[in-house]
């Protein structure tokens, strides 16, 4: 039918992994059956549709017994299936074995791998979902072909095949033309029908008339006549299968969809009205429902499970959890009626009464409950349309019933007794035992009990009935079949099941025995001593622990006895305490005191450490146990003595040359800081400090002094943990040069904290005898302390080859090796902005003072295009003085020079005004030195005038006559050529600018009737960014400044764009190809509606297409991706305020002039957006939603649908 229609696709329903079959852990036996004593079926990845149908066939006793009646003589043996001459009917044999395992083998779920292998399916077939209706027909066809020439060759025909007859009655002569058809299942329509009985009425009762232009040619009259067509059921099978057509195709939208509306079906049905008239009794036409296959999900993915009625009482039915737990039941009832239709008083009152545990309410309290529910009274909300509330209840006597003389109102399906008051809400309710057979939900490996009323919940929704199975009520089960899973099972299958149960039981015992063994680590008290609040081995060479394997099901007393037997020399009491190894040593926690408790109940797992001792002391020292006494391993830092600094002594963990010694010490977590000081042997005047994380930088470390109040707090309260450092300062060391005490902070400055700077000497290049140049370099490390003068002197001392009398300065080096401006020698290392552990170059030259500036300058029309130089000037110097000094340094003459400042991107700024001090241009950062460019023989424009560079948008067919460049227009490559410069007033209009541009000599050949035939683009970094709008707008209003570049484009018609009109380049996709038509310009007016809907409508009117058939996307030239616009149209309730529409001019698309918009016609199936043939390369599509729609990922390419098939051998 639909092939792989039900491919799993993010519907939110979990299936088994789709990579192949599901396999349990190696060596782990399958779990036994659950409390319902029914076995499920494992899902192989996508076989939930197969599992649901197999369970239905298993719980069809007549089908099961017919299959079991076929013996090895007719079917053969599976052991001979590989022999070429043997005809083994594999499919029915594997189905027999599967049914036997489901009935008799004690396991939670059975596997269908052997059965699917007999179908000829591979792993990909088992992981692909199919339609269960299609499987039902194909499986029955495969069984019929497999059972050819056996006694069971016709049992499918006997059980499931029925007959319908189609009749056409001629209204002229009365001739009846009939045609008989067989059916395996009845396929009924869901769309437009309220239930199964209505669909059967339309199929077998209603007549179709041939009249008007649609006449019928009667074979007897031999002419076109009026006729009536009808159909009837002629032969009814014992088992009636009904398939519901829930999946349809919408030809208008070209997509599949699932019918989720309400569709009822009865538990019992009489088919006499739909059959031909016979004299049979009504019981021959009576059917009862015994299986409902349910589909949960959408049309492209989901999950199947089945509700089944246990006819033979093979399972142990027990009330569901909500029946035994009143809280769960009350929650479900409240949840079921939380959102009634407020405009419908019937549903509101019904929900109020249903929420009560007694399902009844006092009539006097009903009005107040209604007020609490909807926030309004009956008189204001409903009285005008429905009258008084009492009259409304009486008019709906089919729903409500008044009891106790009209003082109580209850729902009619559960009215309280009129003699007694309704039961108290505190009284527990017990579910009555249902009559007849029980219902179960078989969901792959899970089997649970359900109520018969739960079937009615499958009438509608995404989780709804998909196939119905009815059986004749005349089919009675023999008494020997009740509660007898082995009924009619062949002896060889009974033996197979018994053997498998024995093997499973043996595997479970072995697995349980292996899993019950735990590995314990025993620590004996005589081998340990208490040191610094933790237990440590007496000897480093001795083994710390003894491994012991023990059964966790045995008791603590058994474990104690085993340890007693292993320790012959043990005397006195023996306590077993759980221990754990910490950085400070071994620590004890809880002691195992109850000898009757098993290790499993005591929480003893594999790898647990147990300490064996007398429970009081270890080597004469009392041991504190518990988490609050956990030891903390601290690093104690002390000042080192002079001889230690020289290397003649030192403490544990001393750092050479640091002036500090470090030693690791452990302390119990509940000891106070004062007790720690006493344990260290320090006087009360000593300071204890904790290292301040992060430090202050600059080569010094900061420590926080513990206040006196912290001396009474424990280490746990102070949040000290393993590895924290504790500085101990005695009174005589607090005034040294190394330690500086300021309030509650101590700064430690030691030689190791003085970071080094790498200084490199770079003398000027000199020529050797052979004529080649050589650059001598020497490197030296100097400490980063003091000011830059000290560092410079130290550098001179190290660089012994430096010629005396030559001025030198220190300059930093960036990542590329470029020298940065010299640093001021009057500042400290930190104030000069020099980072520690960086490189400095000692270069010839003079360093600027604090009152001076260091300036770069270059000579030319572009940065780095000519002579470059460096000067040092006073901060109070004027621009004219700076220019004069630069010209002297560059040995240039003339008065046609001016200065322009460059930013960090080397973009040329405006001309600097003369007679202005450098301080007026200072940015506030000393290291933000200037980059100044001199323009050759060019005077700056006067005040109020702009000098603009003009480019021309060149046709690709024209040969370039002057300098040209390549530019991007929204990602499209165009060529521009420079045509000169214009100098114009800031108060000039855009129209005047166009007129003056047309006077340039290079544009003499450009002929336009009026300036409106020119389009002006602003250039930024040789990229067309925006169109200048407003013919009468001044250049100041358009925010143009001197030095700006713009481009003019010749048009074929006049253009005057508004402020909200956007020029877009539209590329329409070629249907069926991975390419586009040539781009076209579209002016989109976004002033009224900037939403995707407005743009889609504008494009639809341009191309004469439907807006709903267009898929739009914006091209991102930097990432070579397409961002699709959502097709979502916002629905706004009348009661709510209209929400502001989303704008394409804002986030996330930011549409602007020149953007490329791709257009696809979605009713024609072709590849996704691509730019093959346009030189862009491979592109990836992205989908970004607009508005409240969920963010969509890349469009998923669905797998090719493959028809379901089962391979069957030839047995004729």
């Amino acid at each position: 039918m639909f092939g792989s229609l039900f491919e799993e696709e993010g519907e939110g329903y979990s299936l088994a992994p789709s990579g192949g079959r599901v396999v349990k852990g190696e060596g782990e036996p399958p779990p036994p059956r659950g409390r319902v004593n029914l076995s499920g079926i494992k899902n192989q990845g996508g076989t939930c549709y197969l599992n649901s149908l197999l369970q239905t066939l298993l719980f069809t006793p007549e089908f099961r017994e017919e299959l079991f009646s076929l013996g090895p003589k007719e079917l053969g043996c599976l052991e001979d299936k590989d022999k070429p001459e043997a005809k083994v009917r594999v499919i029915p044999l594997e189905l027999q074995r599967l049914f036997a395992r489901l009935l008799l083998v004690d396991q939670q779920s059975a596997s269908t791998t052997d059965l699917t292998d007999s179908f000829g399916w591979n792993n990909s077939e088992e992981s692909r979902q199919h339609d269960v209706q299609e499987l039902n027909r194909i499986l029955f066809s495969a069984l019929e072909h497999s059972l050819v020439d056996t006694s069971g060759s016709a049992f499918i025909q006997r059980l499931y095949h029925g007959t319908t007859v189609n009749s056409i009655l001629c209204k002229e002569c009365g001739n009846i033309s009939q045609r008989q058809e067989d059916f395996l299942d009845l396929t009924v329509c869901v769309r437009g029908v309220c239930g199964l009985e209505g669909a059967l009425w339309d199929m077998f009762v209603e007549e179709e008339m041939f009249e008007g232009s649609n006449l019928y040619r009667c074979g007897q009259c031999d002419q076109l006549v009026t006729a009536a067509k009808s159909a009837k059921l002629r032969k009814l099978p014992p088992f009636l299968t009904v398939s519901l057509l829930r999946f349809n195709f919408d030809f208008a939208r070209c997509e599949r969809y699932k019918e989720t509306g309400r569709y009822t079906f009865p538990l019992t049905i009489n088919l006499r009205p739909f059959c031909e008239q016979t004299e049979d009794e009504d019981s021959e036409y009576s059917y009862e429902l015994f299986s409902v296959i349910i589909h949960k999900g959408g049309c492209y993915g989901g999950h199947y499970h089945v509700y089944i009625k246990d006819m033979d009482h093979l399972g142990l039915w027990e009330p569901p959890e909500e029946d035994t737990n009143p809280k769960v039941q009350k929650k479900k009832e409240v949840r079921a009626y939380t959102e009634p239709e407020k405009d419908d008083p019937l549903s509101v009152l019904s929900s109020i009464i249903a929420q009560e545990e007694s399902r009844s309410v006092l009539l006097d309290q009903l009005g107040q409950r209604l007020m609490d529910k909807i926030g309004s009274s009956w008189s204001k909300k409903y009285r005008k349309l429905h009258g008084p509330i009492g009259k409304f209840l009486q008019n709906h006597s089919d729903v409500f019933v008044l009891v106790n003389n009209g003082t109580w109102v209850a729902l009619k399906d559960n009215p309280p007794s009129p003699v007694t008051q309704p039961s108290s809400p505190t009284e527990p309710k017990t579910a009555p035992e249902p009559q007849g057979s029980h219902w179960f939900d078989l969901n792959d490996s899970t089997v649970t009990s359900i109520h018969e009323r739960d079937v009615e919940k499958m009438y509608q929704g995404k989780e709804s009935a998909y196939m119905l199975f009815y059986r004749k009520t005349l089919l009675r089960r023999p008494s020997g079949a009740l509660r007898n899973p082995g009924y009619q099972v062949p002896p060889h299958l009974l033996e197979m099941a018994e053997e498998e149960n024995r093997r499973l039981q043996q595997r479970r015992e072995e697995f349980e025995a292996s899993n019950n063994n735990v590995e314990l680590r025993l620590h004996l008290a005589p081998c340990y001593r208490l040191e610094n609040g933790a237990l440590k081995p007496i000897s480093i060479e001795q083994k710390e622990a003894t491994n012991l394997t023990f059964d966790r099901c045995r008791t603590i007393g058994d474990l104690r006895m085993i340890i007693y037997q292993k320790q012959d020399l043990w005397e006195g009491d023996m306590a077993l305490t759980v221990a754990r190894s910490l950085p400070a040593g071994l620590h004890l926690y809880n002691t195992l005191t109850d000898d009757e408790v098993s290790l499993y109940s005591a929480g003893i797992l594999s790898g647990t450490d147990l300490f064996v001792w007398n429970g009081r002391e270890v080597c004469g020292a009392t041991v504190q146990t518990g988490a609050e006494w956990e030891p903390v391993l601290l690093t104690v830092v002390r000042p080192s003595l002079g001889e230690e600094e020289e290397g003649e002594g030192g403490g544990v963990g001393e750092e050479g040359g640091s002036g500090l010694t470090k030693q690791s010490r452990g302390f119990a977590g509940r000891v106070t800081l004062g007790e720690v000081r006493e344990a260290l042997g320090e006087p009360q005047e000593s300071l204890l400090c904790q290292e301040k994380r992060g430090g202050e930088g600059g080569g010094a470390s900061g420590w926080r002094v513990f206040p006196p109040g912290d001396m009474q707090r424990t280490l746990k309260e102070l949040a000290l943990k393993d590895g924290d450092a504790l500085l101990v300062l005695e009174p005589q060391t607090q005034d040294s040069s190394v330690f500086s005490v300021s309030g509650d902070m101590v700064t430690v400055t030691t030689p190791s904290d003085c970071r080094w700077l790498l200084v490199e000497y770079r003398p000027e290049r000199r020529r050797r005898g052979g004529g080649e140049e050589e650059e001598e370099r020497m490197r030296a490390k100097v400490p980063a302390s003091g000011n830059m003068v000290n560092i410079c002197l130290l550098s001179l001392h190290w660089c012994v080859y430096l010629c005396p009398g030559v001025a030198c300065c220190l300059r930093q080096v960036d990542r590329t090796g470029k020298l940065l401006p010299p640093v001021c020698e009057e500042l400290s290392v930190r104030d000069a902005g020099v980072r520690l552990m960086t490189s400095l170059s000692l270069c010839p030259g003079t360093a600027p003072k604090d009152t001076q500036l260091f300036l770069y300058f270059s000579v030319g029309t572009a940065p780095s295009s000519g002579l470059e130089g460096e000067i040092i000037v006073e901060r109070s110097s004027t621009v004219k003085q700076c220019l004069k000094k630069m010209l002297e340094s560059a040995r240039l003459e003339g008065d046609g020079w001016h200065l322009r400042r460059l930013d960090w991107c080397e973009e040329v700024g405006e001309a600097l005004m003369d007679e202005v001090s450098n301080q007026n241009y200072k940015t506030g950062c000393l290291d933000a030195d200037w980059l100044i460019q001199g323009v050759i023989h060019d005077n700056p424009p006067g005040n109020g005038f702009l000098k603009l560079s003009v480019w021309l948008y060149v046709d690709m067919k024209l040969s370039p006559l002057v300098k040209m460049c390549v530019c991007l227009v929204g990602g499209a490559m165009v060529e521009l050529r420079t045509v000169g410069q214009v100098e114009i007033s800031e108060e000039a209009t855009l129209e005047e600018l166009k007129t003056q541009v047309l006077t340039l000599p290079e544009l003499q050949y450009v002929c336009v009737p009026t300036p409106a035939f020119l389009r002006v683009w602003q250039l930024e970094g040789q990229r067309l960014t925006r169109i200048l709008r407003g013919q009468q707008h001044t250049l100041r209003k358009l925010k143009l400044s001197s030095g700006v570049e713009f481009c003019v484009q010749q048009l074929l018609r006049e253009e005057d764009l508004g402020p909200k009109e956007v020029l877009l380049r539209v590329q329409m996709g070629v249907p069926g190809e991975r390419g586009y038509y040539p781009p076209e310009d579209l002016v989109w007016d976004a002033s009224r509606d900037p939403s995707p809907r407005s743009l889609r409508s504008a494009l639809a009117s341009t191309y004469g297409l439907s807006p709903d058939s267009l898929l739009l996307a914006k091209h991102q030239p930097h990432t070579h991706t397409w961002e699709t616009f959502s097709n979502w149209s916002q629905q706004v309730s009348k009661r709510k305020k209209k929400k502001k529409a989303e704008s394409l001019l804002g986030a996330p698309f930011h549409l602007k002039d020149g953007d490329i918009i791709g257009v696809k016609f979605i009713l024609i199936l072709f590849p996704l957006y691509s730019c093959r043939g346009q030189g862009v390369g491979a592109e990836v599509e992205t989908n970004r939603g607009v508005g409240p729609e969920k963010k969509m990922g890349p469009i998923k390419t669905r797998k090719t649908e493959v028809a379901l098939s089962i391979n069957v051998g030839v047995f004729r």
Side-chain angles (χ1 to χ4, degrees), residues 114-299:
D114 294 336
L115 179 63
T116 54
D117 288 344
S118 69
F119 292 168
W121 294 357
N122 51 27
N123 286 345
S124 61
E125 187 70 31
E126 293 161 359
S127 62
R128 183 184 292 114
Q129 283 203 25
H130 289 281
D131 185 15
V132 69
Q133 299 176 3
E134 181 184 14
L135 174 67
N136 182 55
R137 299 176 183 178
I138 294 176
L139 180 58
F140 280 179
S141 176
L143 284 175
E144 287 181 332
H145 284 83
S146 298
L147 298 178
V148 170
D149 297 333
T150 65
S151 59
S153 59
F155 89 89
I156 299 290
Q157 185 81 18
R158 292 196 307 268
L159 295 180
Y160 293 97
H161 279 191
T163 303
T164 61
V165 57
N166 297 315
S167 304
I168 300 179
L169 173 63
C170 177
K171 296 295 185 179
E172 299 294 335
C173 64
N175 179 54
I176 299 177
S177 174
Q178 292 186 340
R179 180 169 57 88
Q180 181 174 300
E181 294 179 354
D182 294 336
F183 67 86
L184 182 68
D185 61 294
L186 291 178
T187 303
V188 298
C189 184
V190 174
R191 183 179 181 182
V193 185
C194 60
L196 176 61
E197 293 172 314
L200 294 176
W201 184 273
D202 293 342
M203 292 174 62
F204 300 112
V205 177
E206 293 289 341
E207 292 183 344
E208 179 184 359
M209 297 301 298
F210 296 104
E211 55 187 359
S213 60
N214 183 27
L215 297 177
Y216 168 72
R217 178 171 293 277
C218 177
Q220 185 170 340
C221 300
D222 195 20
Q223 60 180 350
L224 296 175
V225 297
T226 303
K229 180 181 179 181
S230 62
K232 291 291 183 182
L233 293 170
R234 174 168 290 179
K235 176 189 174 184
L236 294 175
F239 296 91
L240 179 64
T241 304
V242 181
S243 300
L244 308 183
L245 287 179
R246 287 212 177 259
F247 297 100
N248 284 322
F249 189 83
D250 187 347
F251 289 94
R253 303 178 62 183
C254 293
E255 63 180 8
R256 294 169 178 164
Y257 69 96
K258 179 180 178 180
E259 294 283 356
T260 58
R262 182 176 176 85
Y263 189 88
T264 62
F265 48 88
L267 297 177
T268 59
I269 187 172
N270 192 311
L271 298 181
R272 177 180 282 276
F274 316 115
C275 298
E276 291 183 322
Q277 298 298 325
T278 62
E279 297 180 356
D280 296 337
E281 298 180 359
D282 285 348
S283 58
E284 293 288 340
Y285 303 95
S286 180
Y287 283 81
E288 62 177 331
L289 184 69
F290 76 98
S291 177
V292 181
I293 294 182
I294 300 161
H295 179 259
K296 180 180 182 180
C299 60

Side-chain angles (χ1 to χ4, degrees), residues 639-650 654 659:
S640 58
L641 301 178
E643 58 270 13
E644 290 176 348
E645 293 180 358
E646 297 175 1
E648 299 178 359
E654 178 188 355

Side-chain angles (χ1 to χ4, degrees), residues 968-974 1017 1023 1062-1068 1076-1082 1095 1099 1112-1118 1121-1125 1149-1159 1169-1171 1174 1176 1179:
L968 287 175
V969 182
M973 307 296 294
V974 299
W1017 293 83
R1023 181 182 295 271
V1062 184
L1063 178 70
L1064 302 175
R1065 299 178 62 85
V1066 180
Q1067 288 190 308
M1068 172 65 76
Y1076 296 89
Y1077 292 110
E1080 299 179 5
D1081 289 346
L1082 171 71
L1095 177 58
L1099 289 168
L1112 310 182
K1114 176 189 174 183
H1115 184 253
Q1116 298 288 2
H1118 300 290
T1121 58
W1122 291 94
E1123 289 185 88
T1124 59
F1125 299 154
F1149 295 101
H1150 300 285
L1151 283 188
K1152 59 184 181 301
D1153 295 326
D1155 282 346
I1156 294 180
I1157 303 298
V1159 182
Y1169 283 104
S1170 177
C1171 287
Q1174 301 179 12
V1176 181
E1179 309 225 357

Side-chain angles (χ1 to χ4, degrees), residues 760-777:
E760 182 182 43
Y761 172 47
R762 290 190 180 186
E764 294 183 351
R765 293 187 177 185
R766 53 186 178 179
R767 189 172 299 276
R768 300 177 60 182
E772 55 187 49
E773 294 182 356
E774 181 188 61
E775 182 179 352
E776 294 185 1
R777 294 191 180 186

